[in-house]
Amino acid sequence: MVQTIYLECGAVRLVPFSPADIHLVKDLHSDPYGNRCHEFSSNCTVVDAAELVRSALQNQDDLGFAKWKAVSPEGDFLGWAGFTPVAETSEISLNYCLRNDVLDADPELPTRLCAALSGWFFENTYFSHLVAVVRTDNRLMRDVVLDAGFYHRESKVIDGMQADVFQLLSPSMQSYLMSA
């Protein structure tokens, strides 16, 4: 069976979720020492796994993009990465959750992955910008999005969580602003 690959970033491939992947997400989110979840809308608990997969499948159908399963070339589950609609602001947020051992083996992967996802997003959508909603206590994600070219836009409460909103303008919007 041929599987759609939405993005390749080095040895990481982003492919669609299937309902059979819920147990993989549960395992990822249940590791208290390895839960490197960078998702604004929840604390990425085990009970969120089914909803994450369900909403990823629905967003893929509705929007043409979503959170995708991150796998190795051999098909090993590494985590997930992609995009989430932010209901409160009608924007799209970039986020990811990778296994601890994956990050230990390649500490720069999140920055490369965020840059690759941002590039994919602007090449495949007509959005003028992309955001990353980051919990204020999440220094790691803050550093990753800044390294990927995002800039701090504002601090606000989103879904009951104090967050910093980082933004990255599309290349066409950047060109437009530079020419103005």
Side-chain angles (χ1 to χ4, degrees):
M1 178 175 92
V2 175
Q3 186 170 36
T4 301
I5 299 173
Y6 283 98
L7 179 71
E8 288 189 73
C9 181
V12 175
R13 295 178 177 162
L14 298 182
V15 300
F17 274 110
S18 76
D21 296 325
I22 292 170
H23 75 283
L24 297 171
V25 177
K26 280 183 182 179
D27 290 346
L28 177 67
H29 291 184
S30 66
D31 181 356
Y33 299 104
N35 189 356
R36 298 280 184 95
C37 194
H38 302 295
E39 155 74 341
F40 74 90
S41 65
S42 71
N43 291 324
C44 290
T45 61
V46 173
V47 295
D48 294 327
E51 177 58 23
L52 185 143
V53 172
R54 186 208 60 75
S55 67
L57 293 170
Q58 187 65 52
N59 287 338
Q60 186 64 48
D61 286 345
D62 293 348
L63 304 171
F65 57 83
K67 289 179 187 140
W68 298 303
K69 179 171 62 169
V71 296
S72 70
E74 299 77 32
D76 297 328
F77 179 71
L78 306 175
W80 56 259
F83 311 101
T84 304
V86 183
E88 190 166 327
T89 62
S90 299
E91 295 173 296
I92 304 299
S93 180
L94 180 147
N95 37 52
Y96 64 90
C97 185
L98 299 169
R99 287 190 348 232
N100 202 24
D101 63 317
V102 171
L103 294 174
D104 290 344
D106 187 356
E108 297 303 314
L109 176 60
T111 300
R112 290 193 319 276
L113 189 56
C114 285
L117 281 164
S118 299
W120 183 96
F121 184 77
F122 292 126
E123 290 171 13
N124 292 282
T125 74
Y126 294 104
F127 286 85
S128 63
H129 67 282
L130 179 63
V131 299
V133 178
V134 180
R135 292 186 313 265
T136 56
D137 64 345
N138 191 337
R139 295 271 179 225
L140 179 62
M141 180 78 173
R142 172 187 300 276
D143 292 343
V144 166
V145 297
L146 289 171
D147 288 347
F150 286 74
Y151 63 90
H152 185 264
R153 185 179 79 190
E154 64 184 317
S155 296
K156 65 189 298 183
V157 175
I158 295 181
D159 288 340
M161 175 192 74
Q162 187 63 41
D164 290 318
V165 179
F166 294 85
Q167 178 172 285
L168 180 65
L169 297 176
S170 70
S172 61
M173 184 60 77
Q174 290 177 27
S175 294
Y176 174 75
L177 291 176
M178 294 302 288
S179 67

